[in-house]
Amino acid sequence: METEMECPLRYLQNLLGGKWKMPIVCMLAGETPLRNATIKRRLGQITSTMLSQTLRELEADGIVNRKQFNEVPPHVEYSLTERGKSIVPILAELGTWATEQMGAQCKAPFCGECTTKC
């Protein structure tokens, strides 16, 4: 019986697939950690539940770091781990390719430091 080999593209799709993961990673590419509300505001149409779920998944996969501050009021900040930072150049290349393909249709503002338009 042959062992099914994992496809690298399927692995990547499982890791960063979905509507929100790549834009969140793109946003977190900057040096400054972001709070949940800032990410939600920049993404626009994401629900709080979906944002929380996506951030939890990215954290579980070692892409995002979650830092909780036990102050008054308490807050949480998100940033990329070293593993997460390693994907940013690849996302930048994908963004460049997508921008070229979109041509004049591309009017979205930049969402993060990876210089892609998400």
Side-chain angles (χ1 to χ4, degrees), residues 27-46:
M27 273 182 225
L28 294 175
E31 295 297 318
T32 306
L34 298 177
R35 292 184 182 192
N36 191 303
T38 303
I39 298 169
K40 186 175 184 337
R41 185 173 50 255
R42 289 184 185 175
L43 287 174
Q45 299 178 356
I46 192 169

Side-chain angles (χ1 to χ4, degrees), residues 84-109:
K85 289 176 185 177
S86 71
I87 193 77
V88 172
I90 297 162
L91 290 179
E93 286 298 316
L94 287 171
T96 299
W97 179 85
T99 300
E100 291 169 0
Q101 298 304 309
M102 292 170 70
Q105 298 173 352
C106 189
K107 296 179 177 128

Side-chain angles (χ1 to χ4, degrees), residues 43-64:
L43 287 174
Q45 299 178 356
I46 192 169
T47 65
S48 296
T49 303
M50 181 56 71
L51 177 58
S52 295
Q53 177 184 335
T54 304
L55 287 168
R56 274 194 306 272
E57 290 172 4
L58 288 168
E59 183 183 13
D61 289 332
I63 304 295
V64 168

Side-chain angles (χ1 to χ4, degrees), residues 65-92:
N65 182 46
R66 179 183 188 272
K67 185 174 182 181
Q68 185 168 336
F69 293 86
N70 294 323
E71 303 170 347
V72 178
H75 67 277
V76 176
E77 291 181 345
Y78 294 92
S79 60
L80 293 180
T81 62
E82 289 304 314
R83 183 176 190 209
K85 289 176 185 177
S86 71
I87 193 77
V88 172
I90 297 162
L91 290 179

